[in-house]
């Protein structure tokens, strides 16, 4: 296997040599330690905190998560991609050797070059993992599982107490949730999470994300305009981020990206306050039908080849992952997405370009390579999409800190209420552009008192 590895590495290096010569290092999201982050926090752009807990702890937590929730029914997506006039999905078994479960929903989307059939199955989580192992780019499996992880029992406290959270789980599921929260809260010491004060029925929930090789998420930016986190338990994920042009430099802000991607809104959370069932929509995310991961080049490594590389040389593995993640010729965006990225760059001004060896190059997106034990922090207004070169398991979460997201989240909720023709004057306490730490409980109380009167 060592010989095969070196043969593969030599071939792959040759294929990427042209790109490597001009590789812009600023495209890669910084990878830092927790101590480095705490000494100099990064809140306005994506950042990877590596090794936030030991490999043994990560492996143990992954096993416990699967053991605890393996029997739970989740929705698994199968995406079968084909070029126009190549209806490969007519094969009743797709590309996998496993029998397919009963279909609960089937959708079909098209773009100028490729069409995708999406089939949705209700299936136990542990069986879903088996399908992930047979996934590939043209026939991929993906599951976004919300509602399985309960809110930790410490979530109602004013500040998060890590010493209690690690061992206070009343049962296995609560224990897993407490440990996950312990990990994701580590970069935010002594900071409230305002979502803890939301009515329990509408608190945003963590999501377990399973992705087979070749699977992608949607291209989107998050609801509530919160700070998102993603903790990787198994496998490796490629992230691409589109940072909005800076408004203070005349770049137009995130609305430029929203428009370029042809975004539309998806309601995520509504709050029913009266017996008649009338509700106020609190949140809606932004989504695009474009993709930053439409096709892969010939001789793109299989999941097995990636695993072989990682086993033989982890440094070379990470280097190659960064090469393909930053290259639009290794994993190609759709033509319309590429046009949108160039249009966004044209709005950036001086921040848009870097100097290559002979020509000036545009920064189309930033790339992060997330591995087990990595915690990725995703700022508000940051469009993103993921690609799984190998099967992976991650947990996505979100938070609202007073000085980072408080004004964003309050404004988002008030704007959504106004869109529902609720235009009662907003209390002065809710109209601040910044908030101080320690008043989150009062601000959230004032917010929901206001909503209850509209």
């Amino acid at each position: 296997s060592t010989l095969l590895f070196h043969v593969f590495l030599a071939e792959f290096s040759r294929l990427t040599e042209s790109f490597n010569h001009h590789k812009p290092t600023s495209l890669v999201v910084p990878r830092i330690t927790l101590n480095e982050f705490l000494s100099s926090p990064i809140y306005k752009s994506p950042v990877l905190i590596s090794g936030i807990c030991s490999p043994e702890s990560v492996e143990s937590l992954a096993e416990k998560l699967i053991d605890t929730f393996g029997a739970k029914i989740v929705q698994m997506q199968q995406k079968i991609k084909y070029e126009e006039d190549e209806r490969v999905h007519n094969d009743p078994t797709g590309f996998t050797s496993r029998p397919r479960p009963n279909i609960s929903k089937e959708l079909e989307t098209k773009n100028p070059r490729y069409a995708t059939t999406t089939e949705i199955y209700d299936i136990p989580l542990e069986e879903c993992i088996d399908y992930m192992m047979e996934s590939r780019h043209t026939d991929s499996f993906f599951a976004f599982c919300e509602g399985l992880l309960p809110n930790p029992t410490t979530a109602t406290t004013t500040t998060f107490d890590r010493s209690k959270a690690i061992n206070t789980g009343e049962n296995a599921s609560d224990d897993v949730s407490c440990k996950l929260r312990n990990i994701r809260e580590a970069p935010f010491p002594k900071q409230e999470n305002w979502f803890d004060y939301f009515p329990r029925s509408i608190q945003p929930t963590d999501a377990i994300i399973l992705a087979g090789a070749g699977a992608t998420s949607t291209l989107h930016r998050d609801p509530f305009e919160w700070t998102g986190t993603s903790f990787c338990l198994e496998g490796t994920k490629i992230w691409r981020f589109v940072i909005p042009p800076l408004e203070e430099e005349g770049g137009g802000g995130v609305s430029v990206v929203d428009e370029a991607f042809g975004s539309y809104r998806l309601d995520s959370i509504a709050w029913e306050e009266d017996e008649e069932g009338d509700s106020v929509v609190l949140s809606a995310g932004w989504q695009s039908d474009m993709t930053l991961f439409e096709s892969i080049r010939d001789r793109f490594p299989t999941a097995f080849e990636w695993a072989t590389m990682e086993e033989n040389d982890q440094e070379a593995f990470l280097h190659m992952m960064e090469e393909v993640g930053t290259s639009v010729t290794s994993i190609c965006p759709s033509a319309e997405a590429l046009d949108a990225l160039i249009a966004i760059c044209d709005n950036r001004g001086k921040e848009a370009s870097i100097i290559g060896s002979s020509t000036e190059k545009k920064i189309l997106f930033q790339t992060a390579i997330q591995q087990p034990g990595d915690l990725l922090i995703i700022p508000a207004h940051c469009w993103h999409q993921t690609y799984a070169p190998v099967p992976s398991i991650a947990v996505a979460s979100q938070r609202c800190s007073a000085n980072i997201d408080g004004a964003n989240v309050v404004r988002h909720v008030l704007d959504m209420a106004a869109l529902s023709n609720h235009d009662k004057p907003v209390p002065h306490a809710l109209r601040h552009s910044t908030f101080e730490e320690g008043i989150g409980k009062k601000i959230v109380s004032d917010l929901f008192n206001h909503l209850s009167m509209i």
Side-chain angles (χ1 to χ4, degrees):
S1 61
T2 302
L3 177 61
L4 290 175
F5 163 71
H6 286 295
V7 170
F8 164 73
L9 184 60
E11 179 183 357
F12 196 71
S13 297
R14 178 182 59 80
L15 291 172
T16 57
E17 181 178 359
S18 176
F19 176 76
N20 292 347
H21 185 62
H22 303 288
K23 178 178 177 292
T25 56
S26 60
L27 288 177
V28 179
V29 169
R31 175 183 291 272
I32 62 178
T33 66
L34 177 60
N35 286 337
E36 289 171 332
F37 180 88
L38 292 175
S39 64
S40 183
I42 300 172
Y43 295 131
K44 298 297 184 182
S45 59
V47 60
L48 267 172
I49 301 178
S50 62
I52 199 165
C53 56
S54 69
E56 294 78 17
S57 297
V58 175
E59 184 177 356
S60 174
L61 189 53
E63 291 176 355
K64 190 164 188 178
L65 184 144
I66 295 170
D67 289 343
T68 303
F69 302 104
K72 298 289 186 180
I73 300 298
V74 301
Q75 284 199 330
M76 179 182 73
Q77 301 177 13
Q78 179 185 21
K79 290 186 178 181
I80 304 174
K81 183 180 295 185
Y82 52 93
E83 294 190 44
E84 285 300 324
D85 301 324
E86 183 187 1
R87 300 302 298 265
V88 297
H89 69 291
N90 285 334
D91 177 359
T93 60
F95 287 99
T96 70
S97 59
R98 297 181 60 82
R100 298 195 297 181
N102 293 329
I103 298 173
S104 61
K105 188 182 296 185
E106 183 171 3
L107 304 171
E108 184 168 343
T109 58
K110 292 186 177 183
N111 62 46
R113 291 185 57 199
Y114 292 87
T116 301
T117 295
T118 301
E119 298 175 348
I120 300 176
Y121 311 99
D122 294 324
I123 186 173
L125 184 142
E126 58 188 354
E127 189 174 340
C128 182
I129 293 174
D130 293 336
Y131 280 91
M132 300 294 160
M133 302 307 293
E134 298 196 13
S135 182
R136 56 187 289 179
H137 181 82
T138 50
D139 185 17
S140 61
F141 294 92
F142 182 86
F144 187 88
C145 314
E146 290 185 290
L148 294 184
L149 289 162
N151 288 325
T153 55
T154 53
T156 55
T157 60
T158 301
T159 57
F160 182 67
D161 188 337
R162 292 181 183 79
S163 63
K164 293 180 180 179
I166 293 176
N167 297 306
T168 56
E170 296 178 358
N171 51 50
S173 60
D174 205 34
D175 185 55
V176 171
S177 295
C178 287
K179 289 179 178 178
L180 287 168
R181 177 161 178 154
N182 176 59
I183 291 167
R184 70 171 184 265
E185 287 295 308
F188 306 96
K190 300 180 181 179
Q191 294 185 32
E192 297 172 289
N193 184 351
W194 286 14
F195 291 129
D196 292 348
Y197 307 126
F198 274 45
R200 203 158 183 82
S201 62
I202 58 171
Q203 288 180 357
T205 60
D206 292 357
I208 300 171
I209 302 175
L210 309 176
T216 64
S217 68
T218 59
L219 176 60
H220 68 283
R221 70 178 175 103
D222 293 335
F224 276 119
E225 300 176 65
W226 58 37
T227 291
T229 65
S230 171
F231 179 60
C232 185
L233 290 163
E234 287 191 9
T236 298
K237 300 176 72 171
I238 298 174
W239 292 71
R240 285 178 173 173
F241 297 95
V242 181
I243 312 301
L246 298 175
E247 289 187 89
E248 54 267 33
E249 295 186 8
V254 72
S255 61
V256 170
V257 187
D258 296 345
E259 181 178 355
F261 283 148
S263 67
Y264 52 91
R265 304 295 296 274
L266 292 177
D267 294 349
S268 60
I269 291 180
W271 182 49
E272 291 188 2
E273 176 60 17
D274 57 34
E275 295 180 356
E276 297 179 0
D278 292 336
S279 62
V280 178
V281 175
L282 300 182
S283 170
W286 291 257
Q287 187 164 307
S288 172
D289 290 332
M290 300 181 191
T291 178
L292 304 181
F293 302 101
E294 182 180 71
S295 60
I296 54 177
R297 71 180 181 197
D298 293 340
R299 195 59 192 94
F300 188 85
T302 65
F304 175 77
E305 288 171 329
W306 281 121
T308 301
M309 182 185 294
E310 184 176 24
E311 182 179 353
N312 283 275
D313 190 333
Q314 290 191 355
E315 184 177 348
F317 169 80
L318 181 58
H319 175 74
M320 288 299 178
M321 278 287 182
E322 289 181 349
E323 299 296 348
V324 300
T326 54
S327 169
V328 295
T329 59
S330 293
I331 312 178
C332 310
S334 62
E336 57 182 352
L338 193 56
D339 289 343
L341 291 169
I342 293 171
I344 295 165
C345 276
D346 290 340
N347 276 277
R348 293 188 190 277
K350 293 182 180 180
E351 62 166 329
S353 300
I354 53 176
I355 303 301
S357 60
S358 58
T359 60
E360 192 175 76
K361 295 186 177 183
K362 293 181 180 294
I363 301 175
L364 298 181
F365 49 78
Q366 293 187 23
T367 300
I369 307 301
Q370 188 183 24
Q371 297 182 284
D374 289 346
L375 180 71
L376 179 65
I377 298 178
I378 307 159
H381 304 156
C382 186
W383 279 82
H384 53 279
Q385 188 176 16
T386 64
Y387 181 83
V390 298
S392 65
I393 302 175
V395 176
S397 187
Q398 56 287 309
R399 73 178 336 276
C400 172
S401 300
N403 61 343
I404 304 171
D405 315 288
N408 280 345
V409 171
V410 169
R411 183 181 63 249
H412 183 101
V413 172
L414 294 174
D415 287 347
M416 292 304 301
L419 288 175
S420 302
N421 297 317
H422 299 296
D423 55 1
K424 187 177 178 64
V426 176
H428 177 74
L430 300 177
R431 293 183 300 190
H432 292 287
S433 58
T434 59
F435 292 97
E436 296 180 357
E437 195 67 47
I439 63 171
K441 191 170 186 177
K442 181 182 184 305
I443 295 298
V444 172
S445 176
D446 289 346
L447 176 63
F448 281 91
N449 286 337
H450 172 69
L451 294 175
S452 68
M453 294 186 292
I454 62 179

